[in-house]
Structures are given as C-alpha cells and as structure tokens.
Amino acid sequence: MSRTTWLAACLALAPLALAAQPLAPETAARPLGRAATSAPDAPVLDTPVATAPPAATPGQPSTVSRPRARLATTAPPAAVPAPDAAVASASPEAVATAARPEQRPGARASLSASLSEAQVVSAPVTRAAPPVGSAGALCGMPGLEGAPVAPVNGAGACGIEAPVKITAVHGVRIAPAAVVDCDTARALGAWVGQAAKPMLSATGGGLAMLRTAGSYVCRSRNNEEGAQLSEHAFGRAIDITAFGLRDGREISLTSGWSSRGAGGALRELHKAACGPFGTVLGPDANAAHRDHFHFDTASNRSPYCR
C-alpha cells in the first residue's frame, strides 16, 4: 500500500473513532479470577462477621469464600494434658485419665490364696526327718503308744540317738513311761502282745499295767564301780518289777516269784521273753535281780537267759 492510500484510509476512519468515544468506560476493569486460584486464603472463622457486603457486579457473587477444611486434617493438635491434671475443656463423657480395669471379683483373693499356697522357689525346700514311726505307727509297730523324743546325750558314751517314750503297749500301760530305742520298744511290744497279755488274760480280768524300775539311765552294770556300761546307758534295756491286773491287784516279783500261785506264771513270762530280747535276767540270775526282770537287746552276744 502506498503512503497516499494509507493516509486516505486514516482520514476516513477518524470520524467513526470520535463518535464511539463517549460510550467507552474511563478505565478497563480487570476480569475476576477463578475462585479456586485467585481468591485470597481467608482465615476460617467460627462465627460470622457482621459487616456489609461490597456492591456486587450484576451476575457475579458478592464474595468468593474458600471452602472450610475438614477439622480432622487442618485443626491444630490439641495439647495432651498431664496424667494427673484435670482437663477443663473435655467432653462430659470423656475421662481425664485412662483408669486401669478393675480385677474380677474374687481374683485378688484367689491370687492371694495361690501365693500364700505357693512355695518359695528361690530356696530349696527342706523336709523334716521322717518320724520314728514312718510306717504309720511308733517305731513302725502297731500297738506301741508314745512319741519320739529328743536325742539323749549322756555323759561319756551314754546316750540314745533316736529315743522314744513308751506309754502303753497293746493297751497295757507302762508306768512309769520308758525311754528306750526302737529295737527295744519293738521287742517289748512283741513280748507283751504274744506272751504277757495272753498268759494273764484269765487272771484278775487281764493284764492292765507293767510297773517298770528303769529304762534309760547312764550307769554301769549292776551299778558296780569300774564295770562296763549297762545296756540301760544306751536305751537298750528295761526293768519290770510287777504286773498290774484290771481288778486292781499286782503280781510283784518280790513276793510272787517263789509263791505257788504266781510263781509258775512269772517263770513262763520270763521264759517267753528269751527270744524277743537278747538278754533276760530274773531273780534266779543273781542278787541284783531278785526283785525284777531285766530285758535288753544287746547285739554283741547270743541270747542269754537266766
């Protein structure tokens, strides 16, 4: 296009531009941006603000609010109260602290009972030595009555390691009670049960008591100075002086050994003891035994009966 032609076109369009000028606005408004991209981040308010809305352009909303965020994702973490502190802002249904569940009824009692019944595992359990009558009876022989007693520690060699105190044998009372070892107690039980009680069953209502003159005592034989220790010194002997009957009478060796009535029975009792006991001495043995039977369980010699 030539310069002359261009000037002619400008002169032709100038009146049209002047005619349209009164209709144009003084300023050109900037178009509103999209709500999701151009709206400023407004703080989330818990209560509405009482302010007048700005004048709205026809066809446009007065304000563009940003959607409220979910409380689970945008709410700041609440401060954790101390375990013992009360939480003033807590819900009425909430508890300040998590209480430990209560034990079931009876659980504490059963636990205490179990603990009280339980054994200490940190130390070995020591069992007491079995009683002398571990088979269910004193010295393991039914018919013996009495109890174990503390070990006897006498002077020198005297003493009994495991003594028992015999109070009755097969229902026959021992008076006074005899302190002997179990071998001697069993021998006495055998003699009373197999000989003395049956032999006197028809006399005076039967045998009720054995009167003793000695059992354990730390002394020499026959009480002679310088003699060997008696079996009494080891709890292996018992001396019997009389037999008590149920009708109240007594048969003593002092008066009965040489009598016609009781003499024969006493000699039979003396003879029957030779076997259960290792040594059996009576009035015919010597003057020291004129008034009693001496029975012992000495194990260092053959049965000796006089």
Side-chain angles (χ1 to χ4, degrees):
M1 180 184 293
S2 65
R3 184 174 183 179
T4 303
T5 305
W6 180 80
L7 290 175
C10 289
L11 291 175
L13 293 175
L16 295 175
L18 292 175
Q21 184 176 1
L23 300 176
E26 295 180 358
T27 60
R30 189 174 182 178
L32 292 174
R34 294 182 181 179
T37 58
S38 62
D41 294 337
V44 179
L45 301 178
D46 293 333
T47 56
V49 180
T51 57
T57 305
Q60 297 290 338
S62 58
T63 60
V64 180
S65 301
R66 188 174 183 177
R68 297 177 63 90
R70 294 182 181 180
L71 295 178
T73 57
T74 61
V80 179
D84 297 332
V87 182
S89 61
S91 169
E93 291 80 8
V95 293
T97 59
R100 187 173 184 177
E102 293 290 336
Q103 289 185 339
R104 293 181 181 178
R108 187 182 301 273
S110 62
L111 177 60
S112 299
S114 298
L115 289 176
S116 63
E117 295 174 2
Q119 295 182 346
V120 181
V121 298
S122 59
V125 178
T126 57
R127 295 181 179 272
V132 177
S134 57
L138 187 64
C139 294
M141 184 177 192
L144 294 180
E145 299 179 33
V149 294
V152 177
N153 297 315
C158 296
I160 313 174
E161 183 178 357
V164 292
K165 189 173 185 177
I166 304 298
T167 58
V169 180
H170 298 297
V172 177
R173 185 165 57 94
I174 307 299
V179 177
V180 294
D181 65 5
C182 272
D183 286 342
T184 305
R186 286 189 287 265
L188 181 64
W191 175 69
V192 171
Q194 298 170 13
K197 195 171 181 180
M199 287 180 182
L200 297 176
S201 61
T203 305
L207 181 62
M209 181 264 293
L210 292 179
R211 187 169 300 283
T212 62
S215 52
Y216 169 78
V217 58
C218 185
R219 66 172 177 83
S220 61
R221 292 180 181 178
N222 301 325
N223 290 311
E224 293 180 3
E225 187 177 355
Q228 294 181 355
L229 287 175
S230 168
E231 295 301 318
H232 286 281
F234 310 112
R236 296 196 289 256
I238 184 170
D239 292 342
I240 298 174
T241 62
F243 297 82
L245 304 178
R246 294 191 179 278
D247 62 4
R249 292 180 295 162
E250 284 192 4
I251 302 175
S252 69
L253 273 81
T254 302
S255 60
W257 183 257
S258 299
S259 68
R260 291 185 177 180
L266 292 174
R267 281 170 169 78
E268 289 297 323
L269 291 170
H270 175 276
K271 181 179 179 179
C274 192
F277 293 96
T279 302
V280 176
L281 302 176
D284 289 344
N286 51 43
H289 296 89
R290 64 183 180 275
D291 59 356
H292 68 275
F293 287 154
H294 168 90
F295 300 155
D296 72 48
T297 56
S299 58
N300 59 349
R301 64 187 177 203
S302 300
Y304 180 80
C305 302
R306 289 188 62 184

